[in-house]
Amino acid sequence: MQSCKNCNIKLRTHHENCPLCHGVLTGEFDENDRVFPLVPPKKQTAEKQFMQWVSFGALAIIIVCGLINYMLFDGIWWSAFVTGALLCTWLVLAVATAKRRNLLKSVTWQLVILIVLAILWDVFTGWYGWSIDFVLPLAILSALCAVIVIAGIKKMTSCEYMTYVQMVCMAGIAPFVLLVTHTVNVSLPSAICVGACVLTFAAMIIFRRNAFFAEIKKKFHV
Amino acid sequence: MLQTRKAKWRKLENAAKIFPATANDRDERVFRMACELNEDVNAEALQQALDKTMTSFALFSCVMRKGVFWYYLEESTLRPIVREEYRAPCSRLYYPDEKTLLFEVTYYKRRINLEVFHALADGTGTLQFLRTLIVRYLTITHPNEVEPLVQPQLDVAVNGEDGFEKYYSKEKAAEKIPEYKAYQMPKSNRFDAGEMRIVEGVAPVDKMLAIAKEHGATLTAFFAAAFMCAIADDMRQRDKRKPVALMIPVNLRHFFPSESVRNFFAWIDMGYNFSRQPADFDSVVDFTAQFFKKEITKERMAARMNSYIGLETNALMRVVPLEIKMRAMQLGNYVSYGNDTAVFSNIGRIDLPKECAPFVKMFDFFTATGKMQLCVCSYGNNLTMTFTTVFKSVHVFRSFFRTLTKLGVPVEVAVRSEEENDAKL
């Protein structure tokens, strides 16, 4: 065991100098006395590194396109579209990375982001209504399928999937409102989506009644 | 087909609510309790002991989940796996969205380490778990010497009881709780986020008790005074206008009987102004001894407990969505940062059945911190004082241990820091 005469202490860990006063140590360290193992240093996670590269790459493309657009200007600011597209991609990837630990939560988030972004694109490119005619109902339908398939494959229990099934079904209210107010031009996708949501919702109440209500009680406890 | 499972879940109790919202790389909110045996740990036996222990502590199988208004704990079927220590002590255990266990059992040479995310249980609760684990382990490795544990507190309902809810009363006594704008150690001198230094000192209990008695104080009061003086020793004269304040968690089970393993503690803030009050060690010991006598009483602790819970039971507060509550709690945590200089926590004497004594050398207890924390515990004649700190300076520990050695206490010290770990690899 090493010791420091200056501090009048004995040391259980191995040091070149006294960790308290930097003075000279006497005695030998015995490997068997080691209290804390040497562990590999903390590393940055791969996900964090991935997002750093995505951010940098997106920014680089935006700047390069902006410069080219500016130098060879022919009356169209096409780099604005590139910027918009890259920002959307970045957002989708960022959320996917942030929520990677819970797949169903990730799906639900992606659903919201996709719908909001689609509507924004539609609005800023002269409102043709494709975002609510097609993207909205088809996104909800795909999310519903994704949640059920993932829950089935990963053998999730009701406490893991029920909330997300409920949330996605509730999203079906949006196409329903748009349908009855005749806001949509093409009604078939919305109709199918609403039907699927109602059916799934009903199935959950009928077949998974206890889990259905237990989950609501749990998630909304105040 | 989609599976169903009736999941048992429980609300987070009052003191636990802050932890998931404020756990980050600067303060992981994880603490470690370790037991050092007199022989190397047998991993297989430890795993067996852990499996058995889990059957009596359903709470420890819980994972953290988010609701719309509050976090909650949900029992899982995950099985904890014992492994050799593989990362820095008190590393992160809780990641939002990840359904992993909120504790970990590791071992290294003669040590069994139990690390717990603070939202799950407090020191006393964790100690119940560790004690059960150690005794079970020893009954496996030394079946002839150690008797299997007869455990009275196996009742799951009692085990997971919320002490705050049980003892909260709305009547508010007009108690004035002292508050401070405390001195802060310079932030410029910190380790990187996620790194800290651990300084563990071991001294004989009998010697320490005798010295505390000479000073007319309990061990807790004595250590609090020594800690405050050590901090003051490193302060510049102009900083001394501000008081040195210690946050001291107090186990509420002492005043309000509860067998719960969940969080059930309150804290007191104790400040001492070294520019206005006498700065010699004996005066500080007198002050802390008096302060503890006055503040750590059932009435004063009840007043503190009720003030925390008053906020939580406020109807308006309750219906605020969790995401907003989280930000509010983070802000509150940030604002109250200035209330104390450091944290001092004494969980006292740890008891094991007598026949375990030949196999167990000592216990160790320390926690991740955003500042500096001193944790004290004792077993047999070994008293462990462990500092954890995010500040690079070692001045405080040097003063602290020199105070002890000057009084004739032999001290053995172990130091770990990320810098030294990485340098030796």
Side-chain angles (χ1 to χ4, degrees):
Chain A
M1 200 177 264
Q2 292 177 298
S3 56
C4 172
K5 287 229 169 73
N6 214 356
C7 298
N8 200 9
I9 54 166
K10 284 183 180 167
L11 283 163
R12 302 189 74 207
T13 39
H14 183 220
H15 303 275
E16 301 300 325
N17 295 91
C18 174
L20 300 186
C21 71
H22 300 290
V24 183
L25 296 174
T26 53
E28 285 297 313
F29 173 70
D30 179 2
E31 188 58 33
N32 286 325
D33 286 343
R34 192 180 281 286
V35 181
F36 300 107
L38 293 175
V39 294
K42 283 183 185 168
K43 264 190 259 156
Q44 239 184 1
T45 58
E47 290 84 0
K48 208 168 178 181
Q49 261 174 359
F50 170 73
M51 270 323 286
Q52 283 173 347
W53 279 104
V54 168
S55 304
F56 182 75
L59 202 63
I61 298 174
I62 289 172
I63 289 171
V64 169
C65 286
L67 281 175
I68 295 173
N69 198 184
Y70 173 73
M71 287 187 288
L72 310 171
F73 192 65
D74 56 357
I76 304 169
W77 279 110
W78 53 266
S79 60
F81 288 93
V82 178
T83 308
L86 282 169
L87 287 180
C88 293
T89 315
W90 182 87
L91 189 64
V92 169
L93 287 175
V95 171
T97 316
K99 302 286 168 196
R100 66 183 178 279
R101 297 191 179 93
N102 184 340
L103 260 181
L104 298 189
K105 191 180 257 188
S106 186
V107 169
T108 315
W109 269 95
Q110 297 293 357
L111 173 67
V112 174
I113 292 169
L114 193 71
I115 292 170
V116 171
L117 291 179
I119 292 175
L120 282 176
W121 273 97
D122 205 358
V123 168
F124 287 107
T125 54
W127 191 252
Y128 293 95
W130 52 266
S131 58
I132 55 170
D133 282 351
F134 300 104
V135 178
L136 176 68
L138 294 180
I140 295 174
L141 261 181
S142 339
L144 193 59
C145 294
V147 168
I148 292 172
V149 168
I150 292 171
I153 290 176
K154 298 198 87 179
K155 296 200 166 53
M156 288 183 180
T157 58
S158 51
C159 18
E160 287 169 286
Y161 67 74
M162 189 57 83
T163 325
Y164 302 102
V165 175
Q166 286 166 347
M167 278 198 273
V168 177
C169 286
M170 293 310 279
I173 293 175
F176 177 73
V177 171
L178 296 174
L179 206 58
V180 295
T181 55
H182 301 290
T183 320
V184 284
N185 303 320
V186 186
S187 54
L188 187 65
S190 297
I192 296 176
C193 169
V194 172
C197 287
V198 172
L199 207 58
T200 313
F201 207 67
M204 286 297 150
I205 296 181
I206 293 168
F207 296 111
R208 299 277 181 271
R209 190 182 183 79
N210 290 338
F212 186 92
F213 291 106
E215 203 60 23
I216 291 179
K217 203 173 145 198
K218 186 162 68 182
K219 288 286 177 191
F220 284 85
H221 84 268
V222 284
Chain B
M1 208 35 222
L2 298 186
Q3 326 255 320
T4 41
R5 192 164 68 86
K6 208 168 171 195
K8 285 190 192 150
W9 63 283
R10 47 192 98 198
K11 293 180 186 182
L12 280 189
E13 58 281 8
N14 177 275
K17 284 190 160 120
I18 185 98
F19 296 122
T22 56
N24 58 37
D25 285 341
R26 279 248 172 255
D27 186 353
E28 290 85 352
R29 304 286 191 174
V30 171
F31 61 91
R32 169 185 287 200
M33 275 184 189
C35 174
E36 189 166 320
L37 304 175
N38 285 324
E39 61 200 1
D40 280 355
V41 175
N42 174 342
E44 228 166 85
L46 185 58
Q47 179 70 56
Q48 277 177 37
L50 179 59
D51 288 341
K52 269 193 198 161
T53 307
M54 285 305 283
T55 57
S56 357
F57 291 86
L59 178 72
F60 278 75
S61 74
C62 284
V63 298
M64 181 76 63
R65 300 208 57 188
K66 279 178 184 174
V68 178
F69 303 111
W70 294 109
Y71 288 97
Y72 61 90
L73 291 169
E74 190 170 84
E75 281 178 23
S76 78
T77 49
L78 297 169
R79 177 179 179 234
I81 302 294
V82 167
R83 59 188 288 196
E84 189 165 11
E85 194 172 351
Y86 62 100
R87 56 179 186 168
C90 299
S91 289
R92 214 159 164 183
L93 282 172
Y94 166 65
Y95 291 93
D97 295 340
E98 198 153 30
K99 293 183 204 79
T100 49
L101 292 174
L102 302 170
F103 77 101
E104 196 171 71
V105 177
T106 59
Y107 65 93
Y108 181 71
K109 289 190 192 285
R110 278 167 280 178
R111 283 198 176 199
I112 295 172
N113 309 311
L114 170 62
E115 291 191 353
V116 176
F117 181 52
H118 211 326
L120 194 64
D122 60 7
T124 315
T126 303
L127 198 56
Q128 278 193 46
F129 184 88
L130 182 62
R131 201 188 284 133
T132 312
L133 178 69
I134 300 296
V135 177
R136 289 244 159 91
Y137 172 81
L138 291 175
T139 51
I140 295 169
T141 50
H142 300 276
N144 300 325
E145 289 97 329
V146 182
E147 296 267 308
L149 199 65
V150 193
Q151 203 167 27
Q153 64 269 51
L154 281 192
D155 186 348
V156 177
V158 171
N159 213 234
E161 157 190 287
D162 182 344
F164 290 104
E165 206 163 88
K166 189 169 165 193
Y167 288 108
Y168 171 61
S169 80
K170 269 199 172 147
E171 301 162 35
K172 267 193 205 116
E175 296 271 351
K176 206 174 161 290
I177 306 297
E179 276 181 32
Y180 307 91
K181 259 187 95 75
Y183 158 72
Q184 298 299 325
M185 290 176 219
K187 274 191 183 177
S188 52
N189 190 22
R190 282 195 299 189
F191 289 112
D192 290 343
E195 294 181 4
M196 65 174 184
R197 192 196 304 275
I198 301 166
V199 182
E200 178 194 299
V202 185
V205 174
D206 46 6
K207 188 92 190 167
M208 278 311 314
L209 271 174
I211 286 171
K213 211 170 182 184
E214 260 171 48
H215 285 81
T218 58
L219 262 185
T220 310
F222 180 85
F223 279 131
F227 192 15
M228 289 210 283
C229 287
I231 293 171
D233 207 33
D234 193 27
M235 281 163 79
R236 291 173 302 187
Q237 204 52 43
R238 63 188 142 117
D239 288 331
K240 290 193 177 170
R241 279 174 308 177
K242 284 191 172 176
V244 172
L246 294 183
M247 176 199 252
I248 302 163
V250 177
N251 182 5
L252 287 174
R253 295 172 188 82
H254 289 322
F255 309 102
F256 308 100
S258 168
E259 292 292 331
S260 173
V261 297
R262 300 172 71 188
N263 281 288
F264 193 39
F265 69 95
W267 62 86
I268 62 171
D269 286 323
M270 174 173 71
Y272 194 87
N273 193 315
F274 281 87
S275 65
R276 288 195 209 122
Q277 288 161 282
D280 63 293
F281 183 63
D282 291 337
S283 307
V284 182
V285 178
D286 283 345
F287 171 82
T288 54
Q290 288 306 317
F291 191 91
F292 282 147
K293 251 179 224 154
K294 194 176 128 226
E295 293 294 333
I296 307 185
T297 62
K298 192 171 177 180
E299 291 72 37
R300 301 283 287 166
M301 293 317 296
R304 286 178 165 94
M305 176 173 91
N306 287 340
S307 73
Y308 314 146
I309 302 181
L311 205 63
E312 181 197 328
T313 45
N314 180 318
L316 208 68
M317 268 291 290
R318 283 160 61 170
V319 295
V320 173
L322 179 62
E323 291 294 325
I324 298 172
K325 269 194 203 117
M326 268 170 66
R327 306 289 168 253
M329 284 194 266
Q330 284 159 4
L331 186 72
N333 192 43
Y334 177 77
V335 170
S336 65
Y337 184 87
N339 292 0
D340 35 59
T341 313
V343 187
F344 167 53
S345 173
N346 181 3
I347 55 166
R349 173 183 289 281
I350 295 170
D351 283 317
L352 285 180
K354 225 189 283 158
E355 65 268 23
C356 296
F359 311 107
V360 179
K361 184 182 173 204
M362 55 176 251
F363 278 81
D364 186 16
F365 163 47
F366 57 86
T367 123
T369 175
K371 304 180 173 179
M372 184 185 283
Q373 180 151 354
L374 168 62
C375 297
V376 176
C377 68
S378 73
Y379 172 75
N381 200 30
N382 281 322
L383 184 119
T384 317
M385 306 152 273
T386 309
F387 289 92
T388 44
T389 176
V390 295
F391 301 105
K392 286 182 182 165
S393 162
V394 288
H395 200 109
V396 173
F397 323 123
R398 188 164 65 209
S399 319
F400 182 86
F401 288 121
R402 279 190 182 172
T403 309
L404 297 190
T405 48
K406 261 182 211 152
L407 291 167
V409 184
V411 182
E412 278 181 18
V413 177
V415 181
R416 182 195 188 279
S417 71
E418 230 65 51
E419 283 172 339
E420 280 182 295
N421 177 70
D422 297 354
K424 278 180 195 151
L425 274 176

